[in-house]
Amino acid sequence: MDRARPYVQLLLVCLYITLFFIVVMYFYGEQTKELQTENKNLQAQVKDLESQNQYLTAMPTEFKEKNGYDMWPGLEKTADRMVTESEGEFNKSWALYLARESKRYDINPYLVYELLKVETGGTFDPTLVGPETKYGHAYGMAQFMTNTAPWIADMGDLPYKKELLFDPYYAMQLSLIYLDYLHHEYGNWDEALTAYHRGMGGLEKYKEENGHAESWYAVEIQQKAKTHDAVAVAP
């Protein structure tokens, strides 16, 4: 028995060493996974910041066409159509503001108008609070969430408070900045509008599942905007 004792002790030592290495490797593996996940998230953040910086570099800041006197009749005609089509729900001052600001971003004002109509269910209610989701609520006429609105406001050099999301002019300005950013990012309105509706991550998931970005949201808004354009140019 005494002769076997050294071997038993050696075996125990080997078992302890093996167990120690197993525990160390387990925690090392877990830390590696955490670091890989953190690295992946950081890379995504860097990519987002790079795309935002590229957008800000190219962001329009001035009118590049006619002066206000020449532009105003066309803006008023556009605004009047929005007011009439909405049966007065979209008031004239909002419509004039949207028509004017859309020119700055070279975005079809009817595209934004139809987006606002879809987002509010045709009410254009600036005090609207959307249904609860796992990300929270969406607020205002443009239905922005509090995890998205701050960095969009920052890109546009705008102040940010949650209460501002209920200001129709602020909401429209924010929607123009975001749409311009998304169109700059993707280069087409199918992806830009689907990303507005589902989020940029949601857009990628939609494309993986469907093989394209032509969501009902993007198609409906573009088709209705074209209808307004056709009426506007009709004699």
Side-chain angles (χ1 to χ4, degrees):
M1 189 68 179
D2 291 337
R3 292 180 180 178
R5 184 173 298 170
Y7 296 104
V8 172
Q9 291 175 339
L10 180 60
L11 179 60
L12 288 173
V13 170
C14 291
L15 286 173
Y16 286 138
I17 292 172
T18 302
L19 181 60
F20 173 78
F21 276 106
I22 289 173
V23 171
V24 169
M25 293 304 295
Y26 171 78
F27 282 107
Y28 176 78
E30 290 299 309
Q31 289 179 343
T32 300
K33 289 178 183 178
E34 290 178 5
L35 288 171
Q36 288 174 340
T37 301
E38 185 177 347
N39 183 55
K40 186 177 180 181
N41 291 335
L42 287 172
Q43 287 178 343
Q45 290 176 18
V46 168
K47 184 179 178 181
D48 288 342
L49 288 171
E50 286 176 346
S51 66
Q52 290 172 33
N53 183 60
Q54 289 171 0
Y55 165 70
L56 288 170
T57 302
M59 189 175 182
T61 56
E62 301 289 343
F63 286 108
K64 297 179 181 179
E65 298 180 358
K66 304 175 182 177
N67 61 47
Y69 179 79
D70 291 326
M71 289 173 59
W72 193 255
L75 297 178
E76 190 163 27
K77 183 179 179 181
T78 298
D80 285 339
R81 172 153 181 80
M82 292 177 184
V83 174
T84 301
E85 200 276 340
S86 69
E87 298 182 346
E89 294 295 332
F90 196 68
N91 72 48
K92 182 71 173 281
S93 64
W94 299 349
L96 284 170
Y97 183 86
L98 178 58
R100 180 183 183 277
E101 287 301 295
S102 294
K103 286 283 186 180
R104 296 181 62 222
Y105 295 90
D106 196 23
I107 294 176
N108 185 339
Y110 296 123
L111 193 80
V112 188
Y113 168 81
E114 287 297 334
L115 179 148
L116 297 173
K117 183 164 70 173
V118 171
E119 290 292 341
T120 61
T123 67
F124 298 102
D125 180 4
T127 65
L128 182 65
V129 176
E132 185 173 4
T133 70
K134 64 180 180 179
Y135 301 109
H137 295 275
Y139 302 95
M141 189 186 293
Q143 287 291 278
F144 278 104
M145 307 189 80
T146 54
N147 64 340
T148 305
W151 63 267
I152 298 172
D154 188 57
M155 282 199 301
D157 197 24
L158 293 173
Y160 174 76
K161 292 181 181 178
K162 181 180 175 181
E163 300 78 45
L164 287 171
L165 298 177
F166 298 113
D167 180 330
Y169 303 100
Y170 184 88
M172 286 187 285
Q173 193 73 59
L174 220 58
S175 68
L176 283 163
I177 295 168
Y178 194 32
L179 284 171
D180 191 49
Y181 167 70
L182 292 172
H183 191 260
H184 180 271
E185 179 74 10
Y186 299 111
N188 66 85
W189 284 115
D190 285 334
E191 288 183 283
L193 288 167
T194 299
Y196 188 106
H197 184 222
R198 294 171 172 267
M200 298 175 77
L203 164 67
E204 297 306 319
K205 184 177 180 181
Y206 184 89
K207 290 195 297 183
E208 287 177 8
E209 293 175 351
N210 297 277
H212 59 77
E214 297 174 9
S215 64
W216 70 266
Y217 184 91
V219 170
E220 179 177 319
I221 288 172
Q222 290 179 89
Q223 287 180 345
K224 290 188 175 181
K226 287 179 181 178
T227 299
H228 291 297
D229 287 333
V231 172
V233 299

